[in-house]
Amino acid sequence: MIVDLRSDTVTLPTEEMLEAIRHAKLGDDNFGEDPTVNALEELAAKKLGKEAALLVTSGTQGNLVSLMVHSRRGDEVILEMDAHIYHFEVGGLCSIAGLVPRLIPGRLGILDPRDVEEAIRPPDIHQPRTSLICIENTHNLAGGICWPQESIKAIGDLAKDHGLAVHMDGARIFNASVALRTDVRELAKPVDSVMFCLSKGLCCPAGSLVVGNEEFIEKARRMRKILGGGMRKAGVLAAPGIIALEKMVGRLEEDHENARRLAIGLSKIPGISIDLKRVQTNIVFFELEKVDLKPQEFLEAINGKGVKALAFGRRIRMVTHMGITKDDIDYALEVCEEVLLKGPSKRRS
Ligand code: TLP
């Protein structure tokens, strides 16, 4: 039995998606002639309440394209200090986009507009120009925390006052929408662009979308091309994307319930420290209280019994998704408890 809780990126496409790929109408998307890509982009724009959308290869590419359209080389970008764009996108914002990151600590990943305002540079010949504020919804490293609409609006209003753009890394924006019971359009309204992923909880084989106004998407299309993301017959990726947006969003609730079940179960295991109020969507972080048990040793031990997770420093992350059932959660809990009861030394004998 394998219970893979490393990420929702391990999800596999549904039978219906594979069928849709088989029958997708295709064309060269660099000529704008792939009808399936066009249909997905139209649907994504409509769902997010923006003028236009662009299919990109990955979340990383979507974020980079967006940063590069909103900013010029040498500009400064405001990010929460645990932002995925800063930590896990290979430093592309510096090495490719030529941007200066300005990191601000948030509260559970959520930025306080007063801190952001303080960080906005005045026009001064010595300083980089602040061009953009990035927010992450749900916030991955904070534990799948949702940015509520009011907080997004506060950042949007502030940005407007200062003539800045706001980009949302909404890799899991539909998880936020389901958890907050707020239409994704409302969450997207205060920001200029949103990137969201098809390949995570929505189970597509690959692909993300960037949405924004017509002018932004036209520029993003050129930027995607520079970055090698012009994909020709990309309808094979767009076809499951359409199914994802039409049919897979509602079921995310189930992933959230499983995450809750997992978190509550973990909280009852001696030796595990977990903050239950941080478990709002499908991501669960916890720590081991025993200092002599290293996260890597714990991961190896549970992996030996078929349960996979990831460590981020001292914290262990488990993510629920369509491939995980209630029974899988119960099994993972049993394995964690067993490993913690035995301890690292006994395990070795
Ligand atoms: N996150 C992955 C890993 O990179 C850590 C994961 O397993 O959670 N924004 C956010 C908030 C993300 O969590 C991710 C992927 C991305 C962007 C990048 O998406 P991809 O992997 O499609 O480039």
Side-chain angles (χ1 to χ4, degrees), residues 111-118 151 154-155 158:
L111 292 168
D112 184 324
R114 289 168 299 187
D115 298 336
V116 175
E117 188 155 35
E118 242 175 62
S151 307
I155 295 293
L158 175 71

Side-chain angles (χ1 to χ4, degrees), residues 4-69:
D4 194 344
L5 294 160
R6 285 172 302 168
S7 181
D8 47 9
T9 57
V10 302
T11 45
L12 293 173
T14 61
E15 278 305 317
E16 191 182 359
M17 287 178 173
L18 295 172
E19 246 339 86
I21 293 171
R22 173 80 188 81
H23 297 290
K25 291 202 169 56
L26 304 176
D28 188 338
D29 181 49
N30 280 200
F31 294 126
E33 289 174 5
D34 189 306
T36 315
V37 171
N38 294 342
L40 171 65
E41 291 180 347
E42 218 171 279
L43 178 64
K46 194 169 138 229
K47 290 255 179 217
L48 276 283
K50 298 288 184 201
E51 287 174 15
L54 178 73
L55 176 64
V56 291
T57 58
S58 64
T60 302
Q61 187 181 66
N63 282 333
L64 187 57
V65 158
S66 304
L67 261 59
M68 290 171 81
V69 173

Side-chain angles (χ1 to χ4, degrees), residues 31 38 74 77 81 101 167 169 193 210 235 251 262 280:
F31 294 126
N38 294 342
V77 176
M81 66 182 285
H167 171 68
D169 173 352
S193 57
V210 174
R251 64 153 308 287
L262 175 66
Q280 299 179 357

Side-chain angles (χ1 to χ4, degrees), residues 7 58-60 63 84 89 136 140 169 171-172 195 200 317:
S7 181
S58 64
T60 302
N63 282 333
H84 191 278
E89 299 186 11
E136 190 173 313
N140 187 342
D169 173 352
R172 297 184 179 83
M195 180 288 291
K200 300 193 166 65
R317 188 186 78 165

